[in-house]
Amino acid sequence: MTVDTSFTPEDLAFRDEVREFLSQAYDEELQARLASGEPKVYKQAVIDWQKRLYEKGWIAPNWPVEYGGTGWTPVQKYIYAREEGFANAPTVVPFGLNMVGPVIYTFGNDEQKQRFLPDILASDVWWAQGYSEPGAGSDLASLKTRADFAGDHYVVNGTKTWTTLGQHADWIFLLARTSTDVARKQEGISFLLADMKTPGIAVKPIITIEGSHEVNEVHFENVKVPLENLVGEEGKGWTYGK
């Protein structure tokens, strides 16, 4: 038995389209801005690149079509990823498009989908991931950040660490403990969305050994997170985060 691994004429036409797009969209000017090392220039360059993908309709290959995905076949996804690698084009920042976006369209309510998904696709909001903590990284279920119910909101206290590119973030999705009366430590953890401009949130840089600022600590001190920013059911955040 032999397997035909050659591309179809349609696949080859798609490959040529991808090559042409990358050669034009990922131009020398954009490459220079991405390599500038200046934080504001870098952030805007990343956003500009992702907006070019969005305008082309290629920003979210793995999202369902009904939420803005491309509808590509597995072969087309492979072709795009391969050509992207050949062009040395930057991959998208994963926290919005590959992490919180899928959680919202899978477990969020209709209001959350309408509120957050368009801005994620258009790169109008930069997201950060609030999972790891001092003492709760590889054993994330031991997290200590608390979210105490207070009527129409939660009050969040705790610290997240190794928050990649958190200095650029507009919003953060985080896991926080909403209950300690549980049989397993993976229970009682909820998935919350917080505006980084909320009073009580502070970002502290972590400078790595080579002198770069990529990761951060994020401190929450009596931070009010509206109840409407709870994704899915309270206490099911561990499931959603996985």
Side-chain angles (χ1 to χ4, degrees), residues 6-208:
S6 59
F7 290 135
T8 66
E10 292 78 14
D11 292 331
L12 292 173
F14 176 72
R15 181 202 62 188
D16 292 343
E17 181 185 4
V18 172
R19 286 181 178 176
E20 177 67 17
F21 169 77
L22 290 173
S23 69
Q24 295 182 8
Y26 188 48
D27 54 37
E28 292 183 358
E29 186 273 340
L30 179 62
Q31 293 176 41
R33 286 194 286 139
L34 286 168
S36 70
E38 204 287 313
K40 290 184 179 179
V41 173
Y42 168 80
K43 177 180 179 180
Q44 189 58 52
V46 171
I47 292 171
D48 290 347
W49 167 243
Q50 293 186 178
K51 282 185 174 294
R52 293 176 190 183
L53 290 172
Y54 171 69
E55 290 163 3
K56 181 68 173 175
W58 290 358
I59 190 63
N62 295 310
W63 284 31
V65 172
E66 60 266 35
Y67 295 122
T70 61
W72 287 346
T73 66
V75 172
Q76 287 176 309
K77 292 178 183 179
Y78 166 76
I79 289 171
Y80 178 79
R82 190 179 72 161
E83 295 301 322
E84 183 183 56
F86 287 156
N88 199 31
T91 56
V92 299
V93 176
F95 308 110
L97 286 159
N98 297 341
M99 295 182 180
V100 73
V103 171
I104 292 172
Y105 68 61
T106 303
F107 301 106
N109 57 40
D110 288 341
E111 182 180 351
Q112 290 168 339
K113 295 174 187 178
Q114 294 167 11
R115 179 183 178 187
F116 294 110
L117 295 183
D119 284 340
I120 292 174
L121 288 170
S123 296
D124 287 336
V125 172
W126 188 301
W127 285 84
Q129 180 194 55
Y131 282 7
S132 295
E133 299 182 2
S138 57
D139 183 18
L140 181 58
S142 295
L143 64 85
K144 297 295 192 296
T145 295
R146 292 181 56 89
D148 296 310
F149 180 71
D152 63 349
H153 65 274
Y154 293 96
V155 177
V156 179
N157 284 280
T159 296
K160 298 296 180 178
T161 195
W162 310 121
T163 307
T164 303
L165 302 178
Q167 70 271 31
H168 298 308
D170 303 300
W171 279 72
I172 187 169
F173 58 98
L174 66 142
L175 296 178
R177 189 164 295 285
T178 47
S179 175
T180 56
D181 185 19
V182 294
R184 299 169 61 247
K185 61 184 180 181
Q186 288 83 0
E187 300 171 352
I189 294 172
S190 296
F191 195 104
L192 302 175
L193 313 175
D195 188 330
M196 291 290 281
K197 297 187 297 294
T198 308
I201 296 180
V203 179
K204 179 181 178 181
I206 298 174
I207 305 303
T208 53

